[in-house]
């Protein structure tokens, strides 16, 4: 829309009806997009983080419009399907779509303040990693470095070990390795790593890491079903062909979870997501372990005991992942 003035309808996390329209500065026309967060003014001094509802060239009725201050996201944090769901919720519960946004978006992704420079409340978790300096990428240079450490055996051993960890046999090479894990593994002391850093052989970098234990990628085969469980699976499939819901009744320990696991696998194979609702948080720990055993790090957990940053990370991971997740709500 080069040469055309752009406008954006923005949802604000307030109990107001509809959206507010702002002009899009020319510098932001290439970055603004539907579903992304933007910082906008409201009132004489207040600023809010809102969600772009629509970008268009339809000039509103003659009145003074204020401009968007900044675009927060390079990718949307709300998908079109979510936006339609928000609209339905607003109609069903007779409330403004801003109230839906306030409930739907984690608090750490919403900011407000009395200056233009309101800060992002969500902060990614980082961890100090170590890696070989780029000058050692050439094998000859690496061996020259090893030779120079012939009188510093601990440093020489650490350099060799780091190289081996970064280039595991039969697996893709790693860009870096956790400094704390390296030290805790007994490969070197902090003093040895500092000496190697001072000599320019290794570098430290800050790497964004998950707040969750997502290391498990190996999964087991699905549990073998008993004849009764297999019959239940077939009957549930028949019910689903006629209705969207069905009731599975069974006492504690009767094997319902194994049935759920197979049903989840069927859903994932069809290219859809799975949502597992639990009546209380206390039940999540045992179930998470069971589901991770079969679905690995595709299992994502979300409940009210998470702090703001954990909730925001979970939300963003689900939005950005290219794997179909298994989401557990407690």
């Amino acid at each position: 829309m080069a040469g055309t003035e752009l406008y954006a309808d923005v949802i604000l996390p307030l109990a107001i009806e509809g959206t507010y329209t702002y002009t899009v500065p020319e510098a932001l026309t290439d970055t603004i997009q539907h579903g992304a967060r933007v910082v906008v003014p409201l009132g004489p001094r207040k600023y809010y983080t809102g969600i772009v509802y629509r970008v268009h060239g339809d000039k509103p009725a003659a009145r003074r419009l204020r401009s968007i201050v900044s675009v927060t996201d390079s990718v949307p944090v709300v998908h079109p399907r979510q936006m339609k769901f928000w609209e339905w919720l607003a109609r069903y519960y007779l409330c403004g779509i801003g109230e839906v946004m306030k409930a739907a978006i984690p608090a750490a992704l919403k900011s407000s303040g009395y200056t233009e420079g309101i800060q992002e409340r969500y902060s990614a978790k980082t961890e100090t990693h170590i890696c070989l300096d780029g000058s050692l990428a050439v094998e000859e240079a690496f061996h020259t470095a090893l030779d120079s450490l012939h009188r510093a055996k601990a440093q020489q051993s650490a350099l060799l070990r780091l190289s081996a960890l970064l280039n595991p046999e039969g697996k893709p090479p790693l860009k870096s390795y956790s400094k704390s894990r390296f030290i805790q593994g007994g490969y070197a002391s902090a003093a040895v790593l500092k000496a190697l850093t001072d000599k320019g052989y290794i570098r430290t970098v800050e790497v964004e890491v998950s707040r969750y234990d997502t290391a498990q990628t190996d999964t087991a085969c699905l549990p073998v079903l008993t004849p009764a469980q297999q019959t239940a699976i077939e009957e549930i499939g028949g019910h689903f062909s006629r209705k969207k819901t069905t009731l599975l009744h069974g006492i504690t320990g009767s094997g319902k979870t194994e049935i759920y696991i197979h049903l989840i696998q069927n859903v994932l194979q069809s290219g859809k997501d799975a949502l597992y609702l639990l009546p209380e948080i206390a039940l999540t720990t045992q179930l998470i372990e069971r589901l991770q055993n079969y679905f690995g790090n595709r299992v994502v957990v979300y409940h009210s005991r998470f702090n703001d940053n954990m909730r925001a990370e979970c939300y963003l991971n689900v939005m950005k992942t290219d794997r179909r997740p298994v989401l557990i709500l407690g």
Side-chain angles (χ1 to χ4, degrees):
M1 301 181 69
T4 302
E5 189 167 15
L6 280 183
Y7 305 90
D9 300 332
V10 178
I11 304 171
L12 298 180
L14 303 170
I16 54 178
E17 184 176 353
T19 59
Y20 277 75
T21 302
Y22 294 86
T23 60
V24 180
E26 186 175 351
L28 300 179
T29 55
D30 292 334
T31 57
I32 194 167
Q33 54 189 315
H34 178 274
R37 290 177 300 160
V38 291
V39 175
V40 296
L42 185 69
R45 295 173 56 232
K46 196 73 180 283
Y47 291 82
Y48 285 93
T49 297
I51 299 292
V52 177
Y53 180 74
R54 187 169 74 103
V55 179
H56 57 88
D58 305 327
K59 186 174 182 178
R63 59 188 175 93
R64 181 174 175 269
L65 294 180
R66 304 181 73 176
S67 296
I68 289 173
V69 174
S70 62
V71 177
T72 304
D73 304 301
S74 59
V75 294
V77 297
V78 179
H79 285 170
R81 285 182 61 189
Q82 283 177 280
M83 197 70 78
K84 288 186 177 181
F85 182 50
W86 287 12
E87 293 170 346
W88 178 87
L89 286 171
R91 292 193 302 269
Y92 187 85
Y93 289 104
L94 303 178
C95 66
I97 195 169
E99 293 174 273
V100 178
M101 172 200 165
K102 187 175 181 179
I105 297 292
L109 300 181
K110 302 188 296 283
S111 301
S112 62
Y114 287 96
T115 65
E116 293 186 20
I118 61 174
Q119 298 297 312
E120 172 80 86
R121 291 174 59 187
Y122 169 67
S123 58
K125 182 181 178 181
T126 61
E127 181 179 68
T128 301
H129 278 218
I130 53 177
C131 62
L132 296 177
D133 186 77
S135 62
L136 302 187
V138 179
E139 186 175 354
E140 182 179 351
F142 179 74
H143 286 291
T144 299
L146 289 177
D147 291 340
S148 72
L149 298 172
H150 69 280
R151 293 185 179 179
K153 296 300 183 183
Q155 295 177 34
Q156 188 182 64
S157 175
L159 197 63
L160 279 168
R161 173 56 65 178
L162 178 59
S163 176
L165 290 172
L166 294 176
N167 298 278
E169 187 175 351
K171 295 182 180 179
L174 303 177
K175 294 182 179 179
S176 61
Y177 193 85
S178 167
K179 181 179 179 181
S180 61
R181 287 178 59 193
F182 195 83
I183 294 173
Q184 291 168 6
Y187 303 133
S189 65
V192 167
L193 294 181
K194 183 179 185 306
L196 289 172
T197 303
D198 291 342
K199 292 176 180 178
Y201 294 148
I202 69 172
R203 294 183 295 107
T204 59
V205 292
E206 292 299 314
V207 176
E208 185 175 331
V209 296
S210 174
R211 290 178 168 85
Y212 307 95
D213 182 13
T214 57
Q216 181 177 351
T217 55
D218 296 331
T219 56
C221 295
L222 295 189
V224 178
L225 299 179
T226 65
Q229 290 171 328
Q230 185 61 46
T231 298
I233 287 278
E234 294 169 359
E235 291 184 0
I236 290 171
H239 283 292
F240 281 164
S241 66
R242 300 188 300 273
K243 297 182 178 180
K244 294 182 179 180
T245 58
T246 186
L247 173 64
L248 175 63
H249 178 71
I251 62 173
T252 302
S254 60
K256 298 187 297 299
T257 302
E258 287 77 9
I259 294 175
Y260 296 149
I261 289 170
H262 277 262
L263 291 173
I264 289 172
Q265 177 68 5
N266 292 342
V267 168
L268 296 178
Q269 287 179 339
S270 69
K272 299 178 181 179
D273 308 328
L275 177 62
Y276 201 135
L277 297 175
L278 291 174
E280 56 181 289
I281 297 173
L283 299 175
T284 58
T285 301
Q286 181 180 4
L287 183 65
I288 291 168
E289 292 176 355
R290 294 188 67 180
L291 291 187
Q292 283 181 334
N293 188 41
Y294 300 110
F295 302 112
N297 57 15
R298 295 174 74 173
V299 176
V300 180
V301 186
Y302 192 96
H303 55 64
S304 60
R305 288 185 186 168
F306 285 175
N307 61 38
D308 287 347
N309 275 327
M310 292 177 72
R311 296 185 193 191
E313 181 179 318
C314 173
Y315 180 91
L316 293 174
N317 283 344
V318 171
M319 292 294 296
K320 297 175 182 178
T321 183
D322 56 0
R323 301 184 306 268
R324 309 313 304 182
V326 180
L327 182 60
I328 302 177
L329 299 185

